[in-house]
Amino acid sequence: MTVEIMSAATLNIRWTDCDRNQSLPVVLGGQNPCFNVGIEPRERHCPSCDSIVYSRRHRLCGACGEALPKDCLFTATEAENVEMLLRTERQRHRAWLKKTTAM
């Protein structure tokens, strides 16, 4: 009986193409979905427990379960835009799945 032993490869990366202190460029409207749906990213906190509100889609705080005030939730327009974005991404994912399984 043989025993298989896992081996690991050493990753050696040299960052000579860019300066270490140089920041990467930000592409507006490209990768950040907030720009596409008209939502301003801003950190919000629960007034009851002061924890960060990670999802503005839910009416209750994920940490303490208390109801969140209106300013911690999406407006009707923002919620509609987010739903549209999610629907579009689901459709794109389904199309991608069909394409990859057909191959």
Side-chain angles (χ1 to χ4, degrees), residues 32-65:
N32 190 343
C34 292
F35 293 112
N36 294 336
V37 293
I39 300 167
E40 64 177 72
R42 192 180 106 214
E43 192 173 273
R44 290 169 171 81
H45 293 269
C46 173
S48 299
C49 66
D50 201 40
S51 68
I52 296 174
V53 175
Y54 290 105
S55 176
R56 293 174 54 201
R57 294 178 69 205
H58 305 289
R59 290 178 289 174
L60 302 178
C61 174
C64 69

Side-chain angles (χ1 to χ4, degrees), residues 4-95:
E4 291 186 30
I5 299 174
M6 293 177 60
S7 63
T10 303
L11 180 62
N12 187 8
I13 298 176
R14 295 182 187 195
W15 297 96
T16 57
D17 293 341
C18 61
D19 185 14
R20 289 180 187 258
N21 296 325
Q22 179 184 0
S23 62
L24 296 174
V26 175
V27 180
L28 296 178
Q31 299 298 323
N32 190 343
C34 292
F35 293 112
N36 294 336
V37 293
I39 300 167
E40 64 177 72
R42 192 180 106 214
E43 192 173 273
R44 290 169 171 81
H45 293 269
C46 173
S48 299
C49 66
D50 201 40
S51 68
I52 296 174
V53 175
Y54 290 105
S55 176
R56 293 174 54 201
R57 294 178 69 205
H58 305 289
R59 290 178 289 174
L60 302 178
C61 174
C64 69
E66 290 293 319
L68 293 170
K70 295 274 186 206
D71 66 324
C72 287
L73 304 175
F74 284 133
T75 64
T77 305
E78 289 174 332
E80 186 178 316
N81 290 342
V82 168
E83 286 301 321
M84 182 181 62
L85 176 68
L86 290 173
R87 196 175 321 113
T88 304
E89 290 301 318
R90 284 186 197 112
Q91 289 172 350
R92 288 180 63 207
H93 181 68
R94 285 187 193 116

